Amino acid sequence: MTERVPVLRIGDVLLVSIQVDLEDQTVLDLQEDLAEQIVARAARGVVIDITAVEIVDSFVGRMLATIASISRLLDAETVVVGMRPAVAITLVELGLSLGGVRTALDLEKGLALLRRSATGAEQP
């Protein structure tokens, strides 16, 4: 049985801090759990903290984009925070741009980005 990634709530934002190895089944479980939590808690935003993630493969990269797409369909914006330079380089080398996924350097900046978006104060 795979380990589940916890989904925590901070106001109207869900926080996912990935602290485990991202096996394919773990990512699929996270996708399902997160979609259910967005609806159940009427979340307006999702922050996925990948600070502890050292490597990604193409499946995990595509699933981050898929999670963001699902969240958008459920009226929640997704921000990925804490991406390491090696992870960013790997995603680019794999040809994965994570279209539609917003990023921020850390959790504080990610939450601020969601707050600005919610108030309509986001700048280009």
Side-chain angles (χ1 to χ4, degrees), residues 9 19-20 26 30 39 54 56 66 70 97 101 115 120:
R9 189 175 107 193
Q19 302 292 319
V20 298
T26 304
L30 173 59
V39 172
E54 294 184 20
V56 294
T66 299
I70 291 168
S97 65
V101 178
R115 277 194 299 275

Side-chain angles (χ1 to χ4, degrees), residues 3-124:
E3 188 171 350
R4 298 285 254 231
V5 176
V7 178
L8 308 172
R9 189 175 107 193
I10 302 172
D12 62 353
V13 173
L14 298 179
L15 171 62
V16 177
S17 182
I18 299 174
Q19 302 292 319
V20 298
D21 288 334
L22 288 174
E23 298 173 5
D24 292 359
Q25 190 59 50
T26 304
V27 175
L28 291 171
D29 291 342
L30 173 59
Q31 177 181 307
E32 184 176 322
D33 294 345
L34 193 52
E36 290 174 5
Q37 289 294 318
I38 289 169
V39 172
R41 297 176 183 255
R44 302 294 290 165
V46 175
V47 175
I48 301 175
D49 184 354
I50 62 169
T51 304
V53 176
E54 294 184 20
I55 57 170
V56 294
D57 61 14
S58 60
F59 177 77
V60 172
R62 283 192 312 274
M63 289 311 293
L64 285 173
T66 299
I67 287 170
S69 295
I70 291 168
S71 298
R72 237 184 344 271
L73 287 172
L74 297 173
D75 199 25
E77 183 178 354
T78 300
V79 178
V80 174
V81 302
M83 187 177 301
R84 295 173 182 244
V87 170
I89 290 167
T90 301
L91 290 172
V92 170
E93 287 174 348
L94 291 171
L96 300 171
S97 65
L98 298 185
V101 178
R102 314 259 337 249
T103 60
L105 291 177
D106 57 35
L107 178 59
E108 183 178 358
K109 289 179 180 172
L111 290 171
L113 182 63
L114 287 175
R115 277 194 299 275
R116 283 194 311 270
S117 292
T119 61
E122 185 177 349
Q123 300 180 359

